[in-house]
Structures are given as C-alpha cells and as structure tokens.
C-alpha cells in the first residue's frame, strides 16, 4: 500500500475528472459551488474572517493547490492561507427596500462570481462575500467542487459558525463545534481508495447489473 505524505498526495478519480475539465478549458463556472447563507442579523466581519481562518487552519483539504502537466497530478496543502471576507454594505429606505436591495446585490454578485475563474495552482481556492445592512446579512462562500463536495458543506458551516459564536462570546479558545468528532485527513481517504484492488467494486457492479444487457 502506498503511503502519502500529508502535505502532498494524488487526486481521487472524481477530482481528476474535474481537473481535466479545468485544464481542458472548460468555461468558468463549471464545477463551482456557491454556498449562500441568509442571516437574520448583522455580522461581525472581523470575527467571521477569523472564523474562516480557523476553519482553513484545521482543514488541510481546503488549503490545497493543484499541479499537473508532468507526471501524475497532485494536490499540495499550503500553510497559512484562508479566504478574506469582502464586505458589501447594502442600504434601503425601509425594510422592504432593504430586502429588495439585498436580493439584487446578491443576485448580481452570484452571476459575476460564477463567471470569475479560479487559478487551480494557487491556494486558497475560495472567495467569500458578505452583504449586509440594518439587521440582516447574506454570506456567499464560493469554491471549486474539486476542493469540497456536498457531504462536507454542512459540517464545515457548523464548524465555521460555532467558531464565530465562540469568538463573539469571548471564548476564543473554543474553536469549532464542541461535539464534532475529529475528521480523518483527506489524504488518508485518498490513500485508502487508491489501495483498493478493484475486485470488490467489480463484484458489486456485476451483482447490481445482473440481468441487464
């Protein structure tokens, strides 16, 4: 079994497919995730950025940059990087006007943001924007799907906002969700997947597809 260093390791087959799309000149916006969160309060942007930094510090898989072109493509963890939070103030004459202005600002941002390319060779592969005004806010967190899939969205958001709440309450040492189990490094998952012989997969699909054809 190959053992990968925690700081640099190959890609999963799904990641390889996404990198193939990117390197082949796929239009910007393909395989891009935009996580939008509506918040019924104004947000402390400084604490939010600190929470993102804490999340990225404890999550090496979010801090990868990709290299390809010579030999096997690899992803390498980059230390000390996290996305900055771009703050957009939104105003309206009344609550209804503010809601309309907020909705319009976010919709325009989402369209422009999806068409903005990412440089897969540079970390962090993420953008964060915060739109807010008078008691309400919308957070948009954008990243390529190659970095994180749908199963990880909810745990990452729980961790992010648990850290944000801890920072706001002054409990600076209580970073992350207190009941969250320690996650295995993604490098270990890649190692486990690549160590499989494939015989088990073939048997599974032969049984699943028996009778078809």
């Amino acid at each position: 079994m190959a053992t990968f260093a925690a700081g640099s390791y190959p890609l999963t087959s799904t990641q390889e497919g996404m990198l193939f799309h990117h390197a082949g000149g796929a239009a910007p916006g393909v395989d891009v995730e935009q996580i939008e969160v509506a918040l019924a309060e104004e947000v402390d942007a400084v604490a939010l950025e600190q929470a993102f930094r804490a999340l990225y510090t404890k999550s090496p898989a979010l801090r990868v940059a990709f290299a390809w072109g010579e030999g096997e493509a690899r992803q390498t963890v980059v230390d000390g990087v996290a996305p900055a939070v771009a703050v957009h103030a939104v105003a309206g004459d009344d609550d209804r006007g503010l809601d309309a202005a907020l909705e319009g600002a976010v919709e325009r941002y989402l369209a422009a943001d999806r068409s903005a390319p990412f440089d897969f060779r540079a970390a962090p592969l993420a953008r964060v924007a915060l739109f807010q005004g008078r008691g309400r806010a919308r957070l948009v967190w954008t990243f390529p799907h190659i970095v994180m899939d749908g199963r990880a969205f909810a745990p990452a958001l729980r961790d992010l906002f648990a850290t944000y709440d801890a920072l706001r309450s002054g409990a600076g040492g209580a970073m992350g969700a207190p009941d969250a189990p320690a996650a295995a490094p993604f490098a270990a998952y890649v190692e486990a997947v690549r160590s499989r012989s494939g015989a088990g997969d073939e048997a599974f699909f032969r049984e699943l597809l028996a009778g078809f054809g």
Side-chain angles (χ1 to χ4, degrees), residues 61-188:
L62 295 178
R63 293 185 277 109
V64 292
F66 295 86
W68 66 94
E70 294 184 9
E72 184 177 37
R74 298 187 71 81
Q75 50 192 324
T76 299
V77 177
V78 179
D79 290 334
V81 297
V85 175
V87 181
H88 304 266
V90 181
D93 293 334
D94 53 24
D95 285 348
R96 180 176 297 180
L98 178 58
D99 287 340
L102 189 60
E103 188 69 27
V106 172
E107 286 185 0
R108 289 189 296 273
Y109 174 83
L110 288 172
D113 175 60
R114 179 163 288 279
S115 65
F118 280 100
D119 178 2
F120 277 29
R121 299 184 188 273
L125 287 165
R127 294 187 287 264
V128 179
L130 176 66
F131 297 81
Q132 63 178 347
R134 204 169 65 244
R136 64 208 71 187
R138 299 272 282 278
L139 171 67
V140 180
W141 180 16
T142 307
F143 48 85
H145 194 176
I146 195 172
V147 174
M148 182 167 59
D149 68 11
R151 292 171 294 181
F153 296 169
L157 286 172
R158 283 197 299 268
D159 200 297
L160 174 73
F161 284 108
T163 300
Y164 173 81
D165 288 341
L167 288 165
R168 291 283 290 157
S169 67
M175 295 299 176
D179 56 349
F186 187 65

Side-chain angles (χ1 to χ4, degrees), residues 1-12 15 58-64 74-77 146-147 183-195:
M1 177 188 299
T3 300
F4 306 137
S8 181
Y9 44 94
L11 283 61
T12 66
Q15 286 180 309
K58 70 185 294 185
S59 307
L62 295 178
R63 293 185 277 109
V64 292
R74 298 187 71 81
Q75 50 192 324
T76 299
V77 177
I146 195 172
V147 174
F186 187 65
Y189 170 75
V190 176
E191 180 179 338
V193 168
R194 291 173 67 95
S195 68

Side-chain angles (χ1 to χ4, degrees), residues 16-27 68:
E16 287 175 344
M18 293 178 185
L19 182 60
F20 177 80
H21 287 163
H22 174 78
W68 66 94

